[in-house]
Amino acid sequence: ANFSEQVVESFPSDISTGIYYGWACVGNGDVHKMVLSIGWNPFYKNIKKSVETHIIHTFKEDFYGEILSIVIVGYIRPEKNFDSLEALISAIQGDIEEAKRQLDLPEHLKLKEDNFFHLPEGKIVNNH
C-alpha cells in the first residue's frame, strides 16, 4: 500500500529514510502488523521519495481508495541498495520477521488497540 506523493510530502522532513515497523489499518477494518519503507528504493532507482506500507496480512480484495492509517513504532534498518532481486526479497523477508518479533512485545502490542485506529462512522478525514 503506497501513499500518494501528497501524503509523502506531508511526512515530517526529519524522518530518516529506512525500514520501520508498526501497525496499519485499512478503513475501519482490523489492525495488522506492518513494515514500512521510507525513501528512494535505490534498487529500483526511484527519483521521488516514497512511503510504501507492507501490511502483514492477506486481504481478500483490493482496497484502492480506502483510508490507510498507520502508527510507526520502531526502526529496523537504513535504506540500502541490493545486488540482486533475490537479495532484496531476502532482506524484506528478514524485515517482516523482525517486525513480527518486535510487535509481539507487550509494549508494542498494546498500541494495536489505540483509539487512533477506530474512526467514528461517517467521519471525514482529509476531505475523504
Side-chain angles (χ1 to χ4, degrees):
N2 299 345
F3 284 103
S4 69
E5 283 183 33
Q6 179 183 5
V7 171
V8 173
E9 290 168 5
S10 72
F11 265 61
S13 59
D14 60 347
I15 291 182
S16 298
T17 60
I19 310 303
Y20 294 81
Y21 61 89
W23 298 102
C25 178
V26 176
N28 276 328
D30 293 335
V31 179
H32 302 285
K33 295 173 180 176
M34 65 91 176
V35 175
L36 185 79
S37 169
I38 300 176
W40 287 271
N41 299 325
F43 184 78
Y44 291 104
K45 298 174 177 46
N46 289 2
I47 56 171
K48 289 197 174 236
K49 191 175 191 178
S50 67
V51 177
E52 300 177 356
T53 308
H54 173 79
I55 301 171
I56 304 171
H57 175 76
T58 302
F59 289 88
K60 290 186 172 98
E61 55 191 41
D62 290 336
F63 49 84
Y64 291 103
E66 291 285 339
I67 293 172
L68 174 61
S69 303
I70 64 167
V71 170
I72 298 172
V73 178
Y75 184 78
I76 296 176
R77 64 174 174 82
E79 179 179 48
K80 63 180 184 176
N81 200 355
F82 295 91
D83 294 331
S84 67
L85 182 58
E86 292 76 20
L88 171 61
I89 291 169
S90 178
I92 291 169
Q93 290 170 336
D95 297 337
I96 290 168
E97 291 309 310
E98 179 64 14
K100 288 177 180 178
R101 280 191 296 273
Q102 292 294 327
L103 291 166
D104 279 340
L105 296 172
E107 63 268 26
H108 296 153
L109 202 53
K110 68 182 180 185
L111 295 170
K112 181 180 180 180
E113 305 302 325
D114 195 275
N115 285 336
F116 169 78
F117 289 115
H118 306 290
L119 294 174
E121 288 299 317
K123 179 173 172 77
I124 297 175
V125 177
N126 295 333
N127 300 319
H128 292 94

